[in-house]
Amino acid sequence: MIFDHQNKTITTKRLVLRLFQKSDAVAVTKLCNNYNIYKNTLYLPYPYAIEDALSWIEHHLGNFNANKSYEFAITNKESGELYGAIALSNNQKFNNGELAYWMGEEFWGNGYATEAAQAILKFAFDEKQYHKVFARYFNSNPASGRVLQKLGMKLEGILIDHVKKEKRYEDLVHYGIINSVEL
C-alpha cells in the first residue's frame, strides 16, 4: 500500500483509491441505483439519482482536509474504472473510526473490497495513528462479514433488531480490530 499525501491516493496491487470527483457522479449513480446494494447498506437511498451522487461527493474533500472522514473511490489501477467506495470515519476524541464500503454488484466476488479494506486499515493505523477500527454489517449480508474476517477483525457483538430496513428489523453485526503496532 502506497499513500500519496499530495494527491490523496492509496495504491494497492490492483487498485487506486482516490477522492471522488463530480465527474464520477454518473458512474456512482449507475452502480448505486441497484436494489441489491441498497438492501445491504444503512444509508444509501433507492432509487438512487445523480443528485444523490453529487450531494454525497460534494463534501468529501472538505471532510478529508478537516480529518472528519476519508471517502475513497475504489478504481481499477489500469483502466480507472470505478468499482465502488470505501470510507473511514475519524472519531478524534476516541482515536478510532468506522470502516464502511460498497461495491458495484458486477464487481462482487473478486476480492476488491478486501484489498481496498486492507489498504484503508493500513492507512488508519500507519498514517492516521488510530487505536481501533470497527465496522458493522447486516446479519443478512454474510459476504460483508467475510471481508472483515479476512482483515483480522474480531466479532465484538450482535445488536439484535437494531435497525429497520424496508419494514423489517435487521441485526447489526459489529467487528473491530486494535492497532497491534501500538500494543
Side-chain angles (χ1 to χ4, degrees), residues 41-135:
T41 54
L42 203 49
Y43 301 112
L44 214 64
Y46 183 81
Y48 195 94
I50 194 146
E51 293 77 23
D52 297 315
L54 288 167
S55 64
W56 177 63
I57 292 168
E58 180 180 10
H59 303 288
H60 289 184
L61 182 60
N63 288 341
F64 194 105
N65 289 335
N67 280 317
K68 284 184 178 175
S69 64
Y70 314 100
E71 305 243 13
F72 292 97
I74 302 170
T75 65
N76 179 293
K77 190 175 180 176
E78 303 301 320
S79 70
E81 183 178 9
L82 180 68
Y83 289 164
I86 191 159
L88 180 69
S89 66
N90 187 5
N91 186 333
Q92 294 176 0
K93 183 176 180 181
F94 299 119
N95 199 22
N96 70 25
E98 182 176 8
L99 171 71
Y101 48 86
W102 58 261
M103 193 64 64
E105 187 173 9
E106 63 200 276
F107 307 112
W108 292 359
N110 293 300
Y112 297 135
T114 302
E115 187 173 328
Q118 285 167 335
I120 291 295
L121 210 51
K122 195 164 170 40
F123 171 78
F125 291 151
D126 296 354
E127 292 292 328
K128 298 300 177 181
Q129 307 295 304
Y130 282 27
H131 173 68
K132 178 181 181 178
V133 173
F134 63 95

